[in-house]
Amino acid sequence: MTETALRRVAGGLVLLALACSPSDRASKPAGDARGKPAVGGAALTGAGATFPNPIYTKWFDAYHKETGVRINYQSIGSGGGIRQFIEGTVDFGASDAPMTDEQVAAVKGNVRHIPTVLGAVVATYNLPAVKTPLRFDGRTLADIFLGRITRWRDRRLAALNPGVNLPNQDIIVTHRSDGSGTTFIFTDYLSKVSPEWKGQVGKATSVQWPIGLGGKGNEGVTQQVKQTEGAIGYVELIYAISNGLPYAWIRNGEGDFIEPSLKSVSAAAAGAHLPPSTDFRVSIADAPGRDSYPISSFTWLLVRKDNPDSVKARLLHNFLIWMLGPEAQRMAADLHYAPLPLPVIELVQQKISG
């Protein structure tokens, strides 16, 4: 695909997801099979990723007001969400990292990965004297988190940020202390762009960090950075925005520095071509395309293909149909998540209705 075509596709993804409803079912109120609101008191429980917690909180509140179904969600990190899903203590899990083959085997294959939105993981920092967004490339960012670059006035950072008066102070690295899909997205990206990172640390929801302070959840890392001058960390975009923290532009594979945004995440998603047989366990980190933000990802709900509790299965199915509709996807855009591309919505609908 040419760069011009890719930009055209990426720019159209959001409009399609917001304006189009692939089926009448996606726009009907959730409830029973006839579209009637659910009986008051019906409830579902879920746990997992902090990355999408802001949009999930908004969705679950809106859905409860519309249908009477209460969805109780614990934002405990992707690792905890996967663990509770495997143990069967929740009706659904949530993760920014797809389950591994071993984890899928632990539930005998009884899981569907349901994409919900797309988001950006950003490198956020606390440098009050720096007024313009910093710029990083992948290898330099990896070397910061490997402990190889330890001062903000390092020559490599200065070369990437000409004209910026970087402070002559230590870099305080902050990372997640819990099992985290945000960590998976970040380390997946670093593993793709830095052979040293891939060989020494790798990608996972939990890794052996060479250096740094730990914070629990996106919330914990955000507060660590906010309270520590000279700190750098990685969080989902909305956490940096809502806390007034700056975030870096990242050089993508085409050599362009890209601002994390709804548009640039949608551009990354445009490079994902999913076959009808997909299980949606795909990575769009370091995606091709001139406008693609390189630390982008889907986030997933984990649901059972075969649920012995028919009532819970119906409640969850109806929520998923509602979630795929234009109203819910529009809410995602309001919180700086990229709505699902229309082809992905259609594929998900086929999977859950088949």
Side-chain angles (χ1 to χ4, degrees), residues 266-279:
S266 295
H273 302 290
L274 305 181
S277 59
T278 182
D279 63 2

Side-chain angles (χ1 to χ4, degrees), residues 92-117:
F92 63 91
S95 180
D96 312 318
M99 292 172 66
T100 65
D101 290 343
E102 292 77 12
Q103 290 167 337
V104 171
V107 294
K108 297 180 172 57
N110 189 18
V111 60
R112 281 196 175 104
H113 287 71
I114 304 297
T116 56
V117 292

